[in-house]
Amino acid sequence: MSHLRNPLAVARGLGAAKDGVHHWWLQRVTAVALALLSPWFVYTLVSLVGADYQTVRLTLAQPVTASLLAIYVGALFWHAQLGLQVVIEDYVHTRWLEIALQLVVRFACLFAAVLAFIAIGRIVFTA
């Protein structure tokens, strides 16, 4: 009997869950943050080449540097998780594997970000 229904009636209510636009915006915002912070990050790393351990710690422990580094790390792992989520959704068609991979990616990105924040905190508070 479903073959007698109008295709529009069948499709109604099956549209976007209004989550795609939010995901798209988050990806763009994190990309802009990374585009702005990456040159600073590279400049900071290059300026520290050949520096001794204490100089590196004191440089990274400065409040502005530590804050920018934390924002960079947060944006980096968030952007990576969002991008990998899209890749998994597009190319993994086995439902259980897709769910498992999504969980692995989320927890791996969260774990790496937490480790990075702890490392930045240790540098800041023990320098």
Side-chain angles (χ1 to χ4, degrees):
M1 180 137 162
S2 66
H3 64 281
L4 299 176
R5 293 183 65 194
N6 184 325
L8 181 59
V10 173
R12 192 160 290 162
L14 298 178
K18 307 291 186 255
D19 191 42
V21 174
H22 183 257
H23 187 275
W24 185 87
W25 270 111
L26 285 176
Q27 235 177 349
R28 293 331 177 257
V29 168
T30 56
V32 168
L34 290 173
L36 294 174
L37 289 172
S38 290
W40 165 82
F41 182 71
V42 170
Y43 172 78
T44 302
L45 288 181
V46 169
S47 69
L48 292 173
V49 170
D52 63 343
Y53 178 74
Q54 190 63 25
T55 303
V56 172
R57 279 189 80 152
L58 289 175
T59 301
L60 295 180
Q62 295 175 0
V64 172
T65 305
S67 298
L68 289 175
L69 189 57
I71 293 168
Y72 183 75
V73 165
L76 182 72
F77 286 112
W78 198 359
H79 187 76
Q81 186 267 319
L82 291 169
L84 288 170
Q85 177 182 342
V86 171
V87 170
I88 292 168
E89 288 170 353
D90 287 348
Y91 295 106
V92 178
H93 302 295
T94 306
R95 188 70 179 144
W96 70 267
L97 183 58
E98 179 183 346
I99 292 170
L101 288 174
Q102 292 287 9
L103 288 171
V104 167
V105 166
R106 280 206 183 189
F107 284 121
C109 287
L110 180 65
F111 182 72
V114 167
L115 284 180
F117 291 139
I118 290 170
I120 293 167
R122 286 192 65 192
I123 290 169
V124 170
F125 297 117
T126 60

